[in-house]
Amino acid sequence: MPALKRFKDPPKRTLNATEKKDTRSKDQRKSRPNLIERVKIVLGGRYNIGLMYILSGLFILFIMFAFYLYQRSRLYTKLNVGSASSQYDNSSMIRFWGSYRPQLYFGMRHKGQKSLVTGLMWFVNDNPNGQVQLRHECSMADKLPRYGWYSHDGLSFGRQRITDFGFEVKTDFVTRPIGNYGGDWSVRVSTAVLPGSPKNREITLLFYVGQEDAGGLFPEFDDEYNFIGVTGHSDKLKNFKIVFRDSKNGNLRIRRYLATNTPYFHSMKDFVLANMRPIRSENNIRHYGLFDGRSENDPSRLHSNNLILYQITGRIPIEFEVIYESQSANNFRGYTLSDNALTHLIKTKQEEFNEKFERRFKLKSMGFNDEYIQFGKAALSNMLGGIGYYYGKSKVTSEFFTDGTDYFEASLFTGTPSRSFFPRGFLWDEGFHQLLISKWDLELSMEIIAYWLDLINAEGWIPREQILGDEARSRVPSEFIRQNNLIANPPTLMLALHSIQTELEMKDKKLSGNHRLYFQSLFPRLHAWFNWFNSTQKGNTPGTFRWQGRNEAAINELNPKTLASGLDDYPRASHPSIAEAHVDLRCWMTAFVGYMHHLAVTVDKRKEAMYYGRQFLVLSDPLELDRLHWSPLTETYCDYGNHTKFVKLKTVSNSQSQTQHTIRIVSSKKGPSLRFVHHFGYVSLFPFLMHLLPASSPNLKKILQDLNKPELLWTDFGLRSLAKNDAFYFKRNTQNDPPYWRGSIWININFLAVRALHYYRSVKGPYKELANHLYVQLRNNVVNTVFKEYQRTGYFWESYHPETGRGQGAHPFNGWTSLVLLMMAENY
């Protein structure tokens, strides 16, 4: 066996000058260093690569955490583009005071975070049960026969008539912007017995003045120690006085006041009821008077007064005036706005209102009679009288704040859909409101839109419902207060902005001066808003869009609601999924990108104009729209999603709690699948409503033909929201959730339909005559429906029943229902 070859030992390496010889013993070298020694080794440079990895990891974690905090904070951080509305707060006092508390039957306040607030209350003394039924906040529960503004200019003047049972209350106000702090205003409140009612009725009227701002209110008295008014001071108003002057007709029986302190301006009705006491009874009539209900030890007695109430009780008719005067205007006033001077100014303002109304809408020259003209004035006046001013923080949620957090503080000057039921700002409603308001007062509309776009956050999101401040929050159920940052609302503000810009460009094509600056200030906000839509509401398939927020787990609903769309319970795909594509949202986005291209060109944003131009070419392509949303089976535009028509609600009993509830079940073994969603209604009309179809399109012809079919949408009162032959027509969504957008006639969509018919009857195409025929009929039907119900009930309504034309839902509803005036005037 050959011997194993022995390898030579490697030669010893000579250490260079920078290296040290290891002088440790063999045992020392075998032993592992402790933690301190390891650190020393690392710091000494033996493990530089390991240190680099550790530091790199820590740096990445730091960056990730910083990015998390940044993303988290964007929810409640205002978009960093300055303020578009500040110019209206600081440069003019012309709209400083107004009837900006629309949730009350009557109330005045000024713009600003902390305001001097006023309000009217009343009750009759002959209530059979002896209880005080106090009127203050507009409420459907009061069941008043009618109330509303019949003249209001949105600027400095308003007249309102409130019909209670057997009598009426009238409120007139005028403002006079003189001096440095908003100027003066005067209010007249009068009462009268209605024909056929008892003439000896007694009423108690109360008017309060409250100070939200730091400062104080002090009662004023004449030489005989009779209460005559209030003096006060605040940071916003400086020094002012308020004088009360009551009627001298001998009908007054009680005259009282209360000076006190309260933090609860959002619950004034409860506060006043707690401070009313019976003071005497005569002829089975119990009289009540204001009484300071605080104990002697109540700590609020140590504070200065921030609330003063004035009460008069007497036999109808009685009246009083409230005259507010700013001390800064003492050298400019000339005369006090009371008595004959107030009467004269109200008459002058009324004449000016009548003349401007005819100039703007031309109803008399179009042949409308006096009843229709008064109806038109009421539509406009109640829209303007519904404008309010709010300040506070919204409650918002996101993936980072599932339990909610505060949005940034903001003020909002806005129209409201309903003084009794929705006395706050709604995003998609406001675009419709401004279509009318801009035809009356362009600058007022521009101001309101600026306030809305100042609500946009760093993400580009605007909460769809604005519940700002304690007073607004007190009217909303807690489960509806929080707004999620993925939930959109149709961008209707761009409809109003397009209308405003078009009107301005007719006078000045390139826009100049303040108007140009205005649109330049809005552009970055609208740009951020569009990008938010384009990123958060995009669908899975290129070119599609999906309303976020449908609840896949809502198995108790026949069809999970799509609140973001504004159409709430309108039937969509039976089973919500990420594969959904909503045709109405694609149409909104097409109209939005078209306006943004127009605006970018106007304000010289060339790069953005090219971007929006390319987007518009893609989205406005009718062939692509047809590929994604036209169903060859029904020849209608449809949503797309995971859907089956075989769904129904089933009642299930709970044996333990002895209760019943409903769940949605699929009655077919096949189940849902990806397909077109065949429900014909408002959603199917959106390509037509947004003027996206070529005038020669056969799809346009099909839509026009379908519009005229009574078994689908056509009625003598307007277009139904859902086809009469649809399985969901007037079906409840849950056992406690009645149908909402499942057949009722809604005036905002009917307005868009009338406007679209007007457009297609005006452009060259083969269907002009058909569009004109439908236009004339639909316009007449809608106008007459709203007019007849106003005459019958005294109210504009949220929606109308398709079988009877009767008003339904919230009332008065002078949001988009007031668009009937634009249909009358044919001003689109």
Side-chain angles (χ1 to χ4, degrees), residues 86-147:
S86 60
Q87 59 178 308
Y88 298 101
D89 277 341
N90 300 329
S91 65
S92 174
M93 288 290 174
I94 194 169
R95 282 187 245 274
F96 184 72
W97 284 103
S99 54
Y100 300 148
R101 304 183 75 199
Q103 67 273 20
L104 308 184
Y105 288 115
F106 180 77
M108 298 280 288
R109 68 160 291 155
H110 62 72
K111 293 179 181 176
Q113 178 180 356
K114 300 290 186 179
S115 175
L116 186 74
V117 296
T118 72
L120 172 68
M121 301 180 179
W122 74 89
F123 63 90
V124 291
N125 295 76
D126 56 1
N127 196 335
N129 58 20
Q131 294 182 347
V132 174
Q133 291 187 341
L134 191 63
R135 312 290 197 208
H136 179 230
E137 295 177 334
C138 299
S139 173
M140 289 166 56
D142 288 342
K143 297 181 179 180
L144 294 185
R146 66 173 59 202
Y147 65 92

Side-chain angles (χ1 to χ4, degrees), residues 539 544-546 550 572-573 575-582 640-642:
T544 65
F545 297 89
R546 173 171 66 96
R550 298 195 71 208
R572 307 284 183 159
H575 292 68
S577 70
I578 61 172
E580 274 188 272
H582 296 130
Y640 183 85
N642 191 29

Side-chain angles (χ1 to χ4, degrees), residues 693-727:
L693 301 178
S696 59
S697 169
N699 293 355
L700 173 62
K701 178 183 179 182
K702 181 64 166 53
I703 287 176
L704 295 178
Q705 290 173 336
D706 286 345
L707 276 185
N708 203 24
K709 295 179 179 179
E711 67 273 20
L712 297 178
L713 305 185
W714 191 268
T715 78
D716 291 338
F717 313 107
L719 297 177
R720 296 182 178 92
S721 46
L722 188 64
K724 188 175 183 179
N725 61 8
D726 192 279

Side-chain angles (χ1 to χ4, degrees), residues 335-478:
Y335 61 92
T336 296
L337 275 179
S338 65
D339 297 331
N340 293 333
L342 179 58
T343 300
H344 176 74
L345 185 57
I346 290 172
K347 181 182 178 183
T348 301
K349 293 282 187 180
Q350 181 68 67
E351 291 171 352
E352 291 172 353
F353 173 81
N354 293 341
E355 291 170 3
K356 181 177 178 180
F357 185 85
E358 178 59 23
R359 271 199 324 272
R360 286 285 191 267
F361 302 108
K362 301 178 174 58
L363 297 191
K364 187 173 183 179
S365 62
M366 294 176 71
F368 285 99
N369 62 29
D370 289 343
E371 286 185 329
Y372 273 91
I373 292 173
Q374 292 303 319
F375 162 71
K377 289 178 180 178
L380 173 68
S381 297
N382 282 293
M383 172 73 83
L384 297 171
I387 292 174
Y389 187 94
Y390 306 91
Y391 189 91
K393 296 179 180 181
S394 292
K395 293 290 184 181
V396 293
T397 65
S398 73
E399 61 177 320
F400 304 112
F401 294 97
T402 55
D403 293 329
T405 189
D406 285 336
Y407 208 56
F408 56 82
E409 275 192 324
S411 56
L412 180 61
F413 190 46
T414 181
T416 56
S418 170
R419 292 171 62 191
S420 63
F421 207 74
F422 302 112
R424 54 193 177 276
F426 287 79
L427 181 53
W428 94 297
D429 294 63
E430 199 56 33
F432 289 110
H433 298 170
Q434 298 314 312
L435 287 172
L436 173 57
I437 293 175
S438 64
K439 302 299 184 184
W440 171 256
D441 188 331
L442 208 63
E443 297 297 328
L444 171 59
S445 188
M446 292 168 67
E447 179 177 354
I448 289 174
I449 293 173
Y451 272 93
W452 267 99
L453 292 178
D454 272 350
L455 296 174
I456 196 165
N457 72 358
E459 299 170 325
W461 173 63
I462 303 175
R464 71 185 184 92
E465 188 172 345
Q466 294 296 319
I467 310 167
L468 303 178
D470 292 335
E471 194 164 24
R473 201 164 290 168
S474 68
R475 303 288 296 270
V476 183
S478 58

Side-chain angles (χ1 to χ4, degrees), residues 156-318:
S156 61
F157 155 80
R159 309 188 76 182
Q160 180 182 211
R161 183 179 292 111
I162 304 165
T163 303
D164 209 325
F165 295 97
F167 65 95
E168 69 177 12
V169 178
K170 292 182 180 180
T171 65
D172 300 328
F173 82 90
V174 291
T175 66
R176 186 165 55 165
I178 57 176
N180 298 322
Y181 304 105
D184 301 347
W185 53 262
S186 293
V187 170
R188 177 178 289 160
V189 178
S190 58
T191 61
V193 176
L194 294 175
S197 299
K199 298 188 180 300
N200 60 346
R201 301 192 72 183
E202 289 193 358
I203 190 172
T204 294
L205 301 171
L206 300 111
F207 196 91
Y208 64 85
V209 179
Q211 179 73 282
E212 294 178 331
D213 199 358
L217 300 175
F218 307 95
E220 292 292 310
F221 307 92
D222 62 15
D223 294 339
E224 298 178 357
Y225 205 70
N226 295 310
F227 173 77
I228 57 173
V230 179
T231 59
H233 174 89
S234 75
D235 292 340
K236 190 82 172 178
L237 301 174
K238 305 308 178 187
N239 296 320
F240 59 86
K241 72 173 182 178
I242 298 174
V243 176
F244 292 96
R245 293 184 177 174
D246 51 57
S247 53
K248 307 299 182 184
N249 59 6
N251 288 347
L252 289 188
R253 299 174 64 86
I254 299 172
R255 197 170 178 276
R256 297 172 75 95
Y257 86 97
L258 173 62
T260 184
N261 188 287
T262 179
Y264 304 116
F265 289 112
H266 63 282
S267 55
M268 279 299 301
K269 183 176 179 178
D270 293 336
F271 180 84
V272 169
L273 288 173
N275 287 274
M276 297 290 292
R277 298 286 188 274
I279 53 177
R280 66 170 181 258
S281 296
E282 296 178 4
N283 302 322
N284 296 322
I285 295 177
R286 182 178 295 177
H287 293 100
Y288 289 82
L290 289 169
F291 175 81
D292 195 337
R294 295 177 295 179
S295 66
E296 292 296 326
N297 298 324
D298 193 314
S300 67
R301 288 183 177 272
L302 301 176
H303 302 295
S304 60
N305 299 319
N306 70 349
L307 175 67
I308 294 182
L309 298 105
Y310 171 64
Q311 171 194 345
I312 59 172
T313 299
R315 190 175 69 251
I316 302 174
I318 58 174

Side-chain angles (χ1 to χ4, degrees), residues 78-85 407-408 410-413 427 430 445-457 460-463 466 491-494 497 518-519 521-530 592 595-596 599:
K78 192 172 184 177
L79 186 67
N80 188 22
V81 289
S83 172
S85 61
Y407 208 56
F408 56 82
S411 56
L412 180 61
F413 190 46
L427 181 53
E430 199 56 33
S445 188
M446 292 168 67
E447 179 177 354
I448 289 174
I449 293 173
Y451 272 93
W452 267 99
L453 292 178
D454 272 350
L455 296 174
I456 196 165
N457 72 358
W461 173 63
I462 303 175
Q466 294 296 319
T492 55
L493 289 178
M494 58 88 186
L497 283 169
Y518 174 81
F519 284 99
S521 72
L522 295 193
F523 183 83
R525 295 164 173 79
L526 293 167
H527 183 60
W529 195 27
F530 177 85
F592 197 176
Y595 173 67
M596 289 304 296
L599 179 59

